Amino acid sequence: MQFFIIAGAINGFLSVALGAFGAHLLEGKVADKYLATWDTAVQYQMFHSLALIAIGILMSSKVLGPLSTLNTAGYLILAGIVIFSGSLYVLSLTGISILGAITPIGGVAFLAGWIMLIVAAVKYAN
């Protein structure tokens, strides 16, 4: 529970910091398409930071409890942040287009994490 709340808060902080970095320090230094890519990475990181916090809260014994499906959902979403947003950040800074081939792996991790959250809710909710 605590791990996912902390991981969500750290990623929320990082998404705000990286968003500011992109808006203030990258503008005029990278192509507009890479700024848009950077913004996409920031948005997905923030949305999924909130998902991690929600998973941490759901893992409380007062809600659903420490379920393995929630644990799996949290790790998949965290992996999605690292792979999806991380690859887009590096792509934006370097222009190495092959990194675009890695990004969908992170997207699949996001989708799998959301599915595991649905499974947890359906299987264990009262």
Side-chain angles (χ1 to χ4, degrees):
M1 173 183 150
Q2 182 182 22
F3 173 77
F4 292 121
I5 293 172
I6 292 169
I10 289 169
N11 275 284
F13 171 88
L14 289 172
S15 68
V16 172
L18 291 167
F21 175 81
H24 299 292
L25 297 175
L26 291 182
E27 193 161 359
K29 294 186 173 109
V30 299
D32 287 343
K33 74 176 185 174
Y34 290 128
L35 279 178
T37 299
W38 187 273
D39 288 342
T40 298
V42 168
Q43 287 178 345
Y44 275 74
Q45 185 173 4
M46 179 55 82
F47 294 147
H48 290 89
S49 297
L50 297 173
L52 286 173
I53 292 168
I55 288 168
I57 291 168
L58 289 171
M59 291 180 85
S60 165
S61 60
K62 293 179 177 143
V63 187
L64 296 180
L67 306 172
S68 64
T69 49
L70 286 174
N71 200 45
T72 301
Y75 281 114
L76 284 166
I77 288 175
L78 186 56
I81 290 171
V82 171
I83 298 167
F84 183 91
S85 294
S87 66
L88 291 181
Y89 290 134
V90 175
L91 170 64
S92 298
L93 293 174
T94 66
I96 300 171
S97 60
I98 192 69
L99 291 170
I102 297 169
T103 307
I105 297 168
V108 170
F110 283 148
L111 293 170
W114 286 109
I115 288 170
M116 292 304 291
L117 184 55
I118 293 166
V119 169
V122 168
K123 192 171 182 181
Y124 298 101
N126 296 329

